[in-house]
């Protein structure tokens, strides 16, 4: 996932951004049902609930969301936000906590409960509301 930070930082030129987007939007690699995993799903070490080998951390999802917006990928940013927030809302209703991380592939959440950094979901909602009301 760190390879996509140039989008968030705004330092990739348009050609490099296009190359990054090709990998990011590949459903066999990073464009997963509930977010962008920390490791490509095509990697042999990929595990969607295996700590840094594939799950999503909400704060990283927010950085990717902002990066997509930086380069004009508004529809993709919106879709990413909905994917991440959908899984978080499911677990908030079920478990009543923010989890440390979530699976990129299914409705699993993991390891530690009540992680404050997952509260960045509120910022997701604020930004999502802004872009959806601009349409």
């Amino acid at each position: 996932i760190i390879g996509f930070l140039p989008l968030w930082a705004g330092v990739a030129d348009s050609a490099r951004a296009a190359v990054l987007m090709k990998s990011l939007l590949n459903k066999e690699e990073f464009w997963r049902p509930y977010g962008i995993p920390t490791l490509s799903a095509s990697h042999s070490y990929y595990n969607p609930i295996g700590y840094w080998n594939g799950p999503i951390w909400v704060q990283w999802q927010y950085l990717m969301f902002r990066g997509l917006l930086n380069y004009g990928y508004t529809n993709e940013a919106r879709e990413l936000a909905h994917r991440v927030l959908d899984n978080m809302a499911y677990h908030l209703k079920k478990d009543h906590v923010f989890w440390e991380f979530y699976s990129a592939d299914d409705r699993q959440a993991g390891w530690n409960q009540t992680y404050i950094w997952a509260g960045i979901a509120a910022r997701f909602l604020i930004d999502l509301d802004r872009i959806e009301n601009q349409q």
Side-chain angles (χ1 to χ4, degrees):
I1 196 167
I2 289 173
F4 298 115
L5 284 181
L7 298 173
W8 168 74
V11 297
D13 62 28
S14 59
R16 287 190 173 110
V19 170
L20 289 172
M21 289 303 296
K22 184 177 179 185
S23 181
L24 182 71
L25 297 177
N26 182 332
K27 293 177 182 179
E28 301 302 315
E29 291 183 40
F30 289 100
W31 200 246
R32 308 302 288 177
Y34 294 106
I36 300 166
T38 53
L39 182 67
S40 171
S42 66
H43 195 283
S44 62
Y45 288 140
Y46 180 71
N47 178 349
I49 202 75
Y51 222 71
W52 282 106
N53 290 355
I56 66 157
W57 272 262
V58 181
Q59 68 275 25
W60 284 92
Q61 302 306 296
Y62 184 75
L63 295 178
M64 297 300 97
F65 170 79
R66 294 301 313 171
L68 291 168
L69 291 176
N70 286 346
Y71 285 85
Y73 294 99
T74 305
N75 290 334
E76 292 83 355
R78 182 184 298 112
E79 184 175 341
L80 175 63
H82 284 288
R83 288 175 180 207
V84 171
L85 294 170
D86 178 58
N87 205 9
M88 290 185 75
Y90 171 83
H91 284 284
L92 279 170
K93 290 175 187 176
K94 180 179 168 268
D95 309 321
H96 309 287
V97 297
F98 283 127
W99 285 92
E100 181 179 13
F101 62 74
Y102 299 83
S103 170
D105 292 339
D106 52 38
R107 292 198 185 277
Q108 291 187 58
W111 292 21
N112 298 298
Q113 299 179 7
T114 316
Y115 262 69
I116 191 67
W117 59 47
I120 200 164
R123 185 61 202 216
F124 254 126
L125 292 169
I126 291 166
D127 291 355
L128 189 58
D129 183 63
R130 285 183 182 153
I131 65 173
E132 289 183 343
N133 286 319
Q134 290 175 355
Q135 300 296 323

